[in-house]
Amino acid sequence: MVPEDLPPVNGPWVSLKGVVINNDLQILHETQVQFDTDLPEFRTHGGVVTAEDGHTITAPTLLWVKALDLLLDQLKLAGADYTSIAAISGTAQQHGSVYWQRGARHTLQSLEASKFLHEQLARSFSTPNSPVWMDSSTTAQCRQLEQAVGGAQKLAEITGSTAYERFTASQIAKLSQTKPSVYNSTERISLVSSFACSMFLGDYADIDYSDGSGMNLLDIHSKEWSQICLDATAPNLIDKLGTPVASSSIQGPISQYFVERFDFNPDCKVASFTGDNPASLIGMCLTEGNIAVSLGTSDTLFLWLRSPQTLLEGHILCNPVDKEAYMALLCFKNGSLTRERVRDDCAEGSWELFNELLDSTPRGNFGNMGLYFDVQEIIPFVKGDHRFNKANDRVHRFTSMEVEVRALVEGQFLAKRAHAEDLGFNIEAGSRIIATGGASNNKSILQVLSDVFNAPVFVLVRVSGSLSIYKYRYPTQFRKYTVLSLQEAANSAMLGSAYQAKHALVAEHTSFSEMTSCLPPPVLACQPYKDAAQVYNPMLARYRRLVKSILDTI
Ligand code: ADP
């Protein structure tokens, strides 16, 4: 059972990856450990274990520890020179949690270099299985939390999200209610990211603001744990969480264990680790005023927000690059698969023909407008095909395939703009859209995106399917600034955490933009036509009215 509200932006968590980059942010070494096949003794499927109820989905915590043992050996075999690593950061799935047994801190602080981590940490967890982001077994705890704080809206105002089953608060509440002795014997609760960080630190790492905002526990405005949420979740919880810290902070020097076992330099710094979504924002080098649009199986928007609006749908997180700012994610389930369906219906399954049809219709589509949702959409909460003519009358069919194709693409992007603006995103002069994902190869689709948002669209250069990886030669003089990043899955998030490792080192005197200026810039794909605002601003208002009329009839 996968929760319906937010498909994984970065795919399932099936592996642990490590990458070493140099001072110019170029990749030196990369390797990965596949959970199911490299560690079959844990009997995971897709990196997780699903209980018979179909809702309880966990991962054996020790699997992740053993994967780290393997990965560090593999990276070394691949030629990584650990003596030159200046900083380490990492990213992991958001929301998942790890429960350290009383006494585990002492074990972390006194790891023996001659032994594997998994041998020494085998008895360090009060529950052997960590709930992961796919878990949906905590509906009762979600309702309790919302009720205790004064309703869903109030919870969203404090923590950036209404209560979600996978979020950590309801997972902790479930543990405390169903296994109080396990909860009471827990010395510390980590997110998966801060758990991984703890191993490098040789002590409990603090949770960073961005990953912490996926818990329903952090007050995203004060950046402190919310007392009302803590009280509603479990007794004495604050004692088990540590202090939240900025995502670009250094947590301390690397543990002596890694110095002795792998020859890490004792000066190597451990930066905060963060969640996959914040790390993706870093990896795409998103900056203020810009928006990233991932056009994959589902479509996802990443927004950089200065003053977020709290909505019942969508998630506001603390921004991992700028601690005064926020970020939001908006996921639209009806993305490429819906475009493929209309392509198959109207264009014989050919993107070329689809584009010819799209390009042959004018901006504004003669006043016709369509909204297409093959599966229940999250925002707006609508399903089915909805077509309207110029007079806003419902029609069953449009007069031509051309009109149908344009109605689909315009409708999809109007929805994205409307809901991005609802969350507080404003397109300003200088705003840019960064397009990624499979459909970002399609210039005709990107042109409509550019026109609807009235902003230029850029694409990231891709080599071998990953973001901004360039086959440069690696100058040896930069090796002392080598940075190591660890992550399960997704390249943008992985690179993001590697960039964050360097950012944490230089943040005091160098901005993130300056630091990443050595990367080749995104490439301009489309500019909006001059009449774009004139055409699409009124259509945006119409989109809102039409969605309201559809929702009123449900
Ligand atoms: P995922 O979300 O699974 O990572 P991708 O980002 O790789 O997926 O995107 C896959 C989608 O990209 C496919 O569903 C396909 O419809 C779409 N796609 C691929 N090429 C094109 C194209 N030329 N035009 C429009 N869509 C495309």
Side-chain angles (χ1 to χ4, degrees):
M1 282 283 300
V2 173
E4 293 229 308
D5 55 329
L6 189 68
V9 175
N10 293 322
W13 293 87
V14 296
S15 62
L16 179 70
K17 284 188 181 182
V19 61
V20 180
I21 64 169
N22 68 8
N23 197 38
D24 273 358
L25 311 181
Q26 299 149 2
I27 291 183
L28 301 181
H29 307 284
E30 197 178 354
T31 187
Q32 61 178 296
V33 174
Q34 295 290 340
F35 296 146
D36 293 0
T37 49
D38 293 334
L39 293 162
E41 63 272 32
F42 290 96
R43 298 168 185 234
T44 53
H45 273 281
V48 298
V49 177
T50 305
E52 270 177 19
D53 65 9
H55 294 283
T56 307
I57 305 186
T58 57
T61 313
L62 212 55
L63 160 76
W64 295 332
V65 180
K66 210 166 176 182
L68 182 59
D69 281 323
L70 282 181
L71 188 90
L72 287 167
D73 281 339
Q74 280 186 18
L75 262 181
K76 189 151 199 166
L77 282 177
D81 172 11
Y82 290 144
T83 57
S84 66
I85 305 274
I88 293 178
S89 184
T91 179
Q93 57 172 297
Q94 281 208 271
H95 317 301
S97 43
V98 168
Y99 299 82
W100 299 92
Q101 171 84 280
R102 204 172 293 136
R105 177 176 218 162
H106 178 71
T107 310
L108 273 174
Q109 288 171 337
S110 45
L111 292 167
E112 286 176 45
S114 59
K115 296 183 181 162
F116 285 112
L117 286 170
H118 74 267
E119 291 173 59
Q120 303 184 73
L121 296 177
R123 277 172 297 283
S124 292
F125 306 107
S126 52
T127 173
N129 298 316
S130 287
V132 298
W133 72 271
M134 295 157 83
D135 187 282
S136 59
S137 65
T138 60
T139 306
Q141 287 77 16
C142 287
R143 297 295 81 80
Q144 288 160 10
L145 176 60
E146 287 182 345
Q147 207 178 2
V149 304
Q153 176 70 29
K154 184 74 190 153
L155 184 64
E157 279 166 22
I158 301 170
T159 69
S161 299
T162 59
Y164 283 88
E165 279 80 356
R166 65 182 182 283
F167 276 47
T168 327
S170 55
Q171 295 293 338
I172 296 171
K174 179 184 157 192
L175 184 77
S176 143
Q177 290 167 14
T178 58
K179 295 180 184 160
S181 60
V182 172
Y183 176 77
N184 290 331
S185 71
T186 299
E187 184 172 81
R188 181 69 166 241
I189 300 172
S190 294
L191 294 178
V192 187
S193 61
S194 63
F195 145 77
C197 187
S198 302
M199 288 191 280
F200 284 100
L201 202 58
D203 202 344
Y204 292 140
D206 287 318
I207 292 173
D208 76 293
Y209 297 152
S210 299
D211 210 8
S213 17
M215 298 173 78
N216 279 144
L217 287 174
L218 186 76
D219 179 328
I220 60 167
H221 309 283
S222 68
K223 311 232 177 2
E224 289 172 358
W225 300 121
S226 154
Q227 194 59 49
I228 188 168
C229 296
L230 293 173
D231 292 345
T233 301
N236 308 320
L237 182 51
I238 198 157
D239 301 341
K240 303 182 196 292
L241 290 178
T243 310
V245 294
S247 306
S248 58
S249 58
I250 297 283
Q251 298 239 0
I254 194 162
S255 145
Q256 193 59 23
Y257 173 82
F258 294 91
V259 175
E260 288 173 23
R261 186 174 174 90
F262 294 103
D263 255 355
F264 274 87
N265 189 316
D267 289 337
C268 173
K269 301 285 185 286
V270 180
S272 293
F273 285 32
T274 193
D276 55 334
N277 295 314
S280 290
L281 179 121
I282 306 171
M284 290 187 282
C285 300
L286 202 67
T287 47
E288 187 165 6
N290 298 340
I291 182 168
V293 180
S294 164
L295 301 170
T297 307
S298 344
D299 291 345
T300 307
L301 298 193
F302 286 81
L303 307 171
W304 177 295
L305 298 172
R306 187 54 56 188
S307 338
Q309 305 295 319
T310 314
L311 292 185
L312 289 177
E313 313 95 355
H315 305 288
I316 306 283
L317 309 178
C318 296
N319 190 301
V321 177
D322 175 350
K323 61 179 187 298
E324 305 305 321
Y326 295 87
M327 63 173 283
L329 279 177
L330 273 173
C331 191
F332 300 85
K333 291 204 266 185
N334 295 277
S336 277
L337 297 184
T338 307
R339 289 189 288 275
E340 279 179 22
R341 191 254 299 177
V342 173
R343 177 202 65 185
D344 295 346
D345 289 350
C346 299
E348 299 163 16
S350 150
W351 287 122
E352 263 176 37
L353 192 50
F354 181 96
N355 291 351
E356 274 177 34
L357 297 171
L358 184 57
D359 295 341
S360 67
T361 39
R363 288 176 289 291
N365 209 10
F366 307 109
N368 297 297
M369 213 155 143
L371 302 170
Y372 301 77
F373 305 105
D374 290 358
V375 293
Q376 177 67 54
E377 191 48 89
I378 311 160
I379 319 171
F381 195 75
V382 175
K383 196 172 173 199
D385 293 347
H386 304 267
R387 300 180 184 82
F388 300 90
N389 65 16
K390 196 175 176 179
N392 290 331
D393 295 326
R394 260 183 187 279
V395 291
H396 282 297
R397 262 175 225 302
F398 285 129
T399 46
S400 69
M401 301 298 188
E402 288 89 326
V403 170
E404 176 89 339
V405 166
R406 181 164 281 273
L408 162 78
V409 182
E410 286 186 342
Q412 286 192 329
F413 292 139
L414 283 165
K416 290 178 178 57
R417 182 172 157 192
H419 299 298
E421 290 186 359
D422 287 349
L423 281 171
F425 180 79
N426 290 311
I427 295 150
E428 291 154 4
S431 289
R432 308 204 296 185
I433 300 171
I434 310 288
T436 67
S440 66
N441 294 318
N442 186 318
K443 202 136 182 228
S444 301
I445 291 179
L446 294 189
Q447 185 61 55
V448 181
L449 174 63
S450 177
D451 287 327
V452 169
F453 277 79
N454 194 25
V457 174
F458 291 77
V459 288
L460 295 165
V461 179
R462 282 162 174 263
V463 176
S464 317
S466 43
L467 283 162
S468 306
I469 298 175
Y470 303 92
K471 303 269 178 206
Y472 287 170
R473 292 181 47 228
Y474 309 122
T476 45
Q477 67 265 34
F478 291 130
R479 291 179 68 120
K480 72 186 170 75
Y481 273 115
T482 306
V483 162
L484 172 70
S485 157
L486 290 156
Q487 182 252 17
E488 308 156 289
N491 280 325
S492 61
M494 178 174 70
L495 284 177
S497 68
Y499 299 168
Q500 188 74 318
K502 181 173 175 191
H503 186 215
L505 278 185
V506 301
E508 272 188 18
H509 51 86
T510 312
S511 72
F512 183 76
S513 301
E514 281 163 359
M515 190 199 88
T516 49
S517 61
C518 56
L519 289 171
V523 175
L524 180 68
C526 303
Q527 297 260 33
Y529 280 92
K530 287 212 159 46
D531 63 354
Q534 201 184 326
V535 173
Y536 289 109
N537 288 353
M539 272 179 90
L540 191 68
R542 233 180 115 203
Y543 165 85
R544 292 181 189 284
R545 287 197 298 276
L546 291 175
V547 166
K548 186 170 181 313
S549 74
I550 297 169
L551 289 172
D552 286 345
T553 58
I554 294 176

